[in-house]
Amino acid sequence: MDPAAPRTATTPDWAQLAAELKGDTVRPGDPDYALAVQLQIAEYDAVAPACVAYCADEDDVRAGLAFAAAHDLPLRLRSGGHSFAGWSTTPGLVLDLSRMAHVTTDGRTVHLGPGAQAVDVLDTLRPHGLVVAGGMCPTVAAGGFLTGGGNGPLSRKYGLACDSLVSARVVLADGRAVRCSAEEHPDLFWALRGGGGGNFGAIVDYEVIPRPAPQAVLFHQVFSGESAVEVLSAWQEWVRTGPDELSTSVSLVLTDAAPGEPLTVALIGTFLGPAAEARALLDGLVARAGTKPVHEILLDESYYDAMMWIYGGGRTCTVEECHRVGSRPGAVLPRQEFQRERNRLFDRPLSRERITALVAQFDADREAGQTRFVNLTALGGAVNRVAPDATAYPHRGALFLIGHALLLPEAAPDAARAARAQSWVDGGFALLDPWSSGHSYVNFPDPHLSEWTHAYWGANHPRLVRVKQAYDPGGFFQLPQGIDHQPRTSSPAPAR
């Protein structure tokens, strides 16, 4: 297959593809189709792929890529299906890598398949006394998470997930499989650490550095909405000057935005150290804020137990339960039906005036059935002790990630209700944007960004384009905000 050659669409022989694969193909009308098309967000079930191909191994991936190229089919790679923008699906061919979920270790490094979900990685490595970088969601898979950067509870102490990558095996558009590392295909290796998933090839194996499983203190505090400005203001300075062992986020929460429903402030995090030190840190936050939580949980646990509590959404769940409903026996975690999210990165704290405006905007124009969040996640620590051009992830000066999110209980709301949801998220984004760095996190894609190449990759974008041209010259792997696309506006990035 020559990816640069002209393509002529022909009628796909789906039976031929099924015969070539060790895995399975699922097409419209098949009994398993409704489950096969599912992403984490139910809204995107309506995309209706022509075929979902479950790849069993690298040869299946190669066959799927060749089939898509031969028939000029739209193609998407899917590992965990968590793209906020729905870019894990397509009306054409979805190559599903979820069955390529190996987790193996020799004690020095860990090999992860693209479909290895965070909860399964955590559980598999437990007997070895090891952990690897993961996020806060149990069903997010290694594919995509690592390539976009990968922030989580271990990041301030050990760096992003992409910083732990030592090699990757990638199937390219022309069918070649290459191993890339600091010594082999170093430009591709650089690009995979922050360039975002689905841009350069299908990654079938990640080799990462593990860490000894630490003791962890899990903490969760809930404050009243009346204290929101004080808590958010205090939290910024508290975490900015806190130790690397402290990982935390704080959120404004409205579980139902109906008028009169209470606004709360939720703090969650882990501390990799003694419970007495964690207690002292939390007492320091309360003293800064001048207000006490109305509810608190502090658990002196293993890292495994702390993460299983987080994965269970506030209760300790079993490994079987911590999977998406329908995906396997015993799974209980629900999907989101409809979600809108926008985010920015910040390299300085927000003023009290700006936080006051943030809280007011969050609480405005309430509508029953909306679930609203504004989440402030701490970065810094080891994340920021890497040069901005050492990997494709450029945001090494960011202190916080702030995201607005709105969920609705129906997957297909009417147009007016969907527009109001987007308008609320856009309003929060516009309010904070002038104070941001102008950057956004590629793992949380935002289709409404006008200068997304600058937002995701900054000064690293030109080098990413060169890598794209070298390894996918025909532009076979495409995304709406992919490396080889141009921004919607040619205007320069705004001054900050």
Side-chain angles (χ1 to χ4, degrees):
M1 172 177 59
D2 180 359
R7 301 173 190 167
T8 302
T10 59
T11 302
D13 184 347
W14 298 109
Q16 175 193 348
L17 177 62
E20 291 180 7
L21 301 184
K22 301 181 188 71
D24 303 314
T25 60
V26 182
R27 300 203 60 237
D30 290 347
D32 296 332
Y33 183 76
L35 179 62
V37 302
Q38 287 186 2
L39 305 185
Q40 180 62 25
I41 302 176
E43 173 188 5
Y44 300 114
D45 294 357
V47 173
C51 181
V52 176
Y54 289 96
C55 297
D57 57 19
E58 181 180 304
D59 288 339
D60 278 5
V61 173
R62 186 177 291 108
L65 298 180
F67 188 87
H71 299 289
D72 197 21
L73 290 169
L75 174 79
R76 289 291 163 80
L77 305 172
R78 187 176 77 188
S79 299
H82 281 261
S83 170
F84 286 170
W87 295 340
S88 304
T89 190
T90 172
L93 174 62
V94 174
L95 283 190
D96 185 284
L97 311 182
S98 62
R99 296 182 184 178
M100 301 174 67
H102 58 270
V103 183
T104 62
T105 183
D106 60 4
R108 295 173 297 174
T109 65
V110 173
H111 285 267
L112 303 173
Q117 296 183 19
V119 66
D120 298 317
V121 176
L122 180 75
D123 189 61
T124 302
L125 293 179
R126 184 186 189 189
H128 301 277
L130 300 173
V131 295
V132 298
M136 298 286 280
C137 177
T139 56
V140 166
F145 176 75
L146 274 152
T147 50
N151 183 52
L154 296 176
S155 295
R156 282 171 53 89
K157 178 67 174 176
Y158 297 116
L160 298 171
C162 71
D163 298 331
S164 71
L165 188 68
V166 294
S167 79
R169 186 168 176 83
V170 189
V171 181
L172 303 175
D174 61 7
R176 288 181 298 141
V178 300
R179 181 185 187 272
C180 63
S181 67
E183 295 78 30
E184 306 166 274
H185 301 278
D187 281 348
L188 180 59
F189 180 63
W190 175 88
L192 295 183
R193 291 174 293 156
N199 276 302
F200 304 101
I203 305 174
V204 296
D205 180 74
Y206 299 85
E207 183 184 12
V208 299
I209 298 171
R211 304 290 179 177
Q215 194 69 12
V217 178
L218 180 141
F219 55 86
H220 180 228
Q221 294 181 326
V222 178
F223 297 85
S224 69
E226 290 77 10
S227 63
V229 173
E230 287 74 18
V231 173
L232 266 60
S233 298
W235 177 88
Q236 292 181 113
E237 292 301 324
W238 176 69
V239 73
R240 188 174 66 86
T241 58
D244 291 355
E245 290 78 10
L246 176 64
S247 174
T248 174
S249 66
V250 65
S251 301
L252 300 176
V253 182
L254 267 173
T255 54
D256 185 345
E261 291 296 314
L263 160 67
T264 59
V265 184
L267 171 77
I268 190 169
T270 57
F271 178 72
L272 307 180
E277 292 185 24
R279 178 76 272 166
L281 281 167
L282 290 170
D283 289 345
L285 173 62
V286 169
R288 283 177 182 267
T291 185
K292 293 183 178 181
V294 297
H295 174 74
E296 178 183 83
I297 293 175
L298 192 147
L299 301 174
D300 189 6
E301 304 276 5
S302 68
Y303 183 80
Y304 178 89
D305 291 330
M307 292 308 300
M308 292 304 290
W309 189 93
I310 292 171
Y311 288 165
R315 69 176 185 88
T316 300
C317 64
T318 66
V319 174
E320 292 75 19
E321 289 172 333
C322 284
H323 290 90
R324 193 165 66 223
V325 167
S327 64
R328 64 184 68 188
V332 301
L333 298 184
R335 297 195 291 163
Q336 290 84 49
E337 295 295 316
F338 176 99
Q339 179 172 327
R340 292 293 179 267
E341 194 271 356
R342 301 194 72 180
N343 68 89
R344 277 303 202 200
L345 289 152
F346 294 77
D347 54 16
R348 55 178 169 165
L350 297 175
S351 67
R352 183 180 178 86
E353 178 185 12
R354 187 63 55 166
I355 290 176
T356 301
L358 169 65
V359 174
Q361 186 275 336
F362 177 83
D363 202 36
D365 302 320
R366 288 190 176 215
E367 181 174 330
Q370 292 182 348
T371 298
R372 296 180 179 182
F373 299 95
V374 168
N375 181 260
L376 289 75
T377 299
L379 297 170
V383 175
N384 290 12
R385 289 192 283 273
V386 177
D389 61 354
T391 67
Y393 179 92
H395 316 298
R396 300 299 183 167
L399 297 176
F400 315 116
L401 174 70
I402 304 181
H404 282 71
L406 188 148
L407 283 66
L408 295 176
E410 63 271 24
D414 64 62
R417 184 161 160 85
R420 290 193 297 272
Q422 185 66 55
S423 177
W424 180 84
V425 173
D426 289 344
F429 180 90
L431 176 70
L432 294 183
D433 186 35
W435 285 75
S436 77
S437 65
H439 292 166
S440 298
Y441 185 32
V442 71
N443 271 359
F444 300 160
D446 179 357
H448 294 268
L449 286 174
S450 60
E451 27 51 85
W452 44 269
T453 57
H454 169 77
Y456 296 149
W457 302 298
N460 288 340
H461 180 248
R463 184 176 175 185
L464 284 164
V465 171
R466 293 194 295 272
V467 176
K468 177 73 170 180
Q469 291 169 343
Y471 287 91
D472 184 18
F476 178 71
F477 295 100
Q478 296 186 11
L479 291 167
Q481 292 177 340
I483 296 296
D484 56 341
H485 286 251
Q486 295 300 312
R488 297 178 188 176
T489 175
S490 59
S491 60
R496 299 284 169 179

